[in-house]
Amino acid sequence: AKDSTKFHPKYSKYLRGPFPYVLPYTNITYNDIENFYTNILVNKKRDTPIIQTSFANNITFENIPYIFQQGMWHPLGITSIQRTAILVPLQNREYNAKTFLFNMHAFARRQQLTYTIILIEQASPLDHRFNKGRLYNTAINYLEKQSLNITCLVLHDVDLIPEDDGNFYTCETKYPKHTTSRVRELNNKRGYIRYYEFLIGGVLLLTFDMYKTLNGFSNLYWGWGGEDDDLALRLIQQRMCIVRPIYELAIYTGLPHPRGPRNNARFGLLTWSTLRLRTDGYAQIESLTRIIDIHQTLTVTYLKLDVNLDKTLNKQYSMGNISSLLNTINVHMTSTIKTIIRTKTIKES
């Protein structure tokens, strides 16, 4: 009985298919982005196809009617089905963050989302020990305490720009949705890379309830790699399927960036991932991190975090101790499996 044109994103009249992302100059600032979406774009005349600025050329973003109210951007004349928070962890990726922010507002508006964008920066420690899991856990804990009534969480890598507005940034009701099926590196002529089916990194959409069921990310992954696969194992343990859009729509451009050092402990941690589900994750985050600065503007909420409050715990779980702990667990698991086999053999005989 309702007018379908008032729902989104499927019925948004601004959907155009391919998304013409813009690569700004390196001199772009956060103030430039703020001014663009609060002044330049809203004053764009309909007969002006391209906007030229001091920080970017050939901008074809449309002036889609939006209003900022109570911490979120709302499409005018539309009642949103969901309220979306796009969360982006980063460290030493300032240009990527600005490029992402500049493009993602235009992308979200083509889908007529009610949304907010949150950058989560690891300000301490500043070394190679990046901890994406703690950044996500802390930001979602922060969001849950706000009065924004968020219903959909978009966990988004800062170096990925969606290429098609038919890749809807809305959460499914029962299962998480992974939208990073194919990625092509910027200016790389090899085409798209299709990743393994187990992958859930890149862009993942889920609700608060789903996130809590998984107890979020593990807090133990320092460095690059492993935390997404750990979350995938939690999904399997909780019998949660992954929904994916069709390959033609779930496509991204990957922005260039330096890779951090690999986490050499990731394989050991993954072997006992599901054993830690209830004791290592979102429910334990408040004692491990601290938000040291919150900077809010119309275009972004910028959180800076110290993710290393548990210095004693980190020392306790040094590489050597982790290896020792894993060996202990493997011994107990092997013993338990042998006992089960022995008992089963006795019963059968």
Side-chain angles (χ1 to χ4, degrees), residues 133-188:
R134 293 192 181 195
L135 292 177
Y136 273 135
N137 286 340
T138 305
I140 292 172
N141 180 261
Y142 164 82
L143 263 183
E144 194 172 20
K145 296 175 182 178
Q146 307 305 305
S147 56
L148 299 177
N149 298 319
I150 299 298
T151 58
C152 182
L153 303 169
V154 182
L155 312 184
H156 210 300
D157 281 2
V158 71
D159 59 308
L160 296 177
I161 305 294
E163 294 187 15
D164 196 294
D165 60 23
N167 182 5
F168 298 144
Y169 274 31
T170 51
C171 286
E172 301 293 320
T173 56
K174 293 184 179 180
Y175 302 113
K177 179 165 68 173
H178 179 249
T179 64
T180 326
S181 297
R182 294 188 299 159
V183 177
R184 60 178 176 182
E185 296 180 6
L186 184 68
N187 299 325
N188 191 322

Side-chain angles (χ1 to χ4, degrees), residues 54-249:
S54 62
F55 52 85
N57 285 330
N58 301 323
I59 306 170
T60 58
F61 298 158
E62 294 179 72
N63 177 17
I64 301 172
Y66 257 76
I67 187 172
F68 186 82
Q69 289 181 335
Q70 298 177 337
M72 301 192 73
W73 284 100
H74 302 258
L76 289 178
I78 297 293
T79 302
S80 297
I81 299 172
Q82 299 182 358
R83 296 169 63 86
T84 305
I86 303 172
L87 300 105
V88 188
L90 66 139
Q91 184 186 43
N92 302 325
R93 301 275 185 88
E94 189 168 274
Y95 176 72
N96 282 171
K98 294 172 185 175
T99 302
F100 176 89
L101 192 63
F102 185 63
N103 285 279
M104 192 51 63
H105 279 284
F107 178 83
R109 294 180 183 195
R110 284 171 71 151
Q111 295 189 1
Q112 294 192 304
L113 303 178
T114 292
Y115 71 96
T116 184
I117 299 178
I118 301 175
L119 297 181
I120 325 155
E121 183 175 18
Q122 179 173 317
S124 177
L126 290 174
D127 55 25
H128 63 276
R129 294 179 302 127
F130 182 66
N131 195 312
K132 187 171 78 170
R134 293 192 181 195
L135 292 177
Y136 273 135
N137 286 340
T138 305
I140 292 172
N141 180 261
Y142 164 82
L143 263 183
E144 194 172 20
K145 296 175 182 178
Q146 307 305 305
S147 56
L148 299 177
N149 298 319
I150 299 298
T151 58
C152 182
L153 303 169
V154 182
L155 312 184
H156 210 300
D157 281 2
V158 71
D159 59 308
L160 296 177
I161 305 294
E163 294 187 15
D164 196 294
D165 60 23
N167 182 5
F168 298 144
Y169 274 31
T170 51
C171 286
E172 301 293 320
T173 56
K174 293 184 179 180
Y175 302 113
K177 179 165 68 173
H178 179 249
T179 64
T180 326
S181 297
R182 294 188 299 159
V183 177
R184 60 178 176 182
E185 296 180 6
L186 184 68
N187 299 325
N188 191 322
K189 297 181 179 179
R190 291 185 301 172
Y192 294 98
I193 298 174
R194 179 178 173 179
Y195 291 97
Y196 55 95
E197 293 294 331
F198 192 65
L199 179 73
I200 62 167
V203 184
L204 182 70
L205 291 77
L206 71 176
T207 65
F208 273 115
D209 287 341
M210 295 175 192
Y211 198 80
K212 290 179 181 178
T213 298
L214 300 169
N215 197 20
F217 281 87
S218 167
N219 297 309
L220 298 181
Y221 287 81
W222 296 91
W224 181 73
E227 69 284 333
D228 293 323
D229 289 337
D230 188 288
L231 188 68
L233 290 172
R234 296 183 180 212
L235 284 162
I236 293 172
Q237 186 191 47
Q238 296 301 308
R239 299 178 181 271
M240 296 174 71
C241 297
I242 287 290
V243 176
R244 288 188 171 93
I246 61 175
Y247 286 122
E248 290 77 10
L249 299 178

Side-chain angles (χ1 to χ4, degrees), residues 277-326:
L277 188 146
R278 296 302 173 200
T279 59
D280 167 33
Y282 179 67
Q284 291 73 37
I285 193 60
E286 290 192 354
S287 64
L288 305 178
T289 65
R290 177 173 61 95
I291 298 176
I292 59 180
D293 185 59
I294 302 174
H295 181 63
Q296 292 180 311
T297 68
L298 297 183
T299 52
V300 68
T301 298
Y302 206 137
L303 305 180
K304 292 189 177 183
L305 275 60
D306 177 355
V307 298
N308 197 26
L309 293 188
D310 58 328
K311 297 178 179 63
T312 302
L313 183 62
N314 288 338
K315 185 176 180 181
Q316 177 184 349
Y317 287 104
S318 62
M319 285 297 299
N321 286 330
I322 286 178
S323 299
S324 176
L325 179 59
L326 289 174

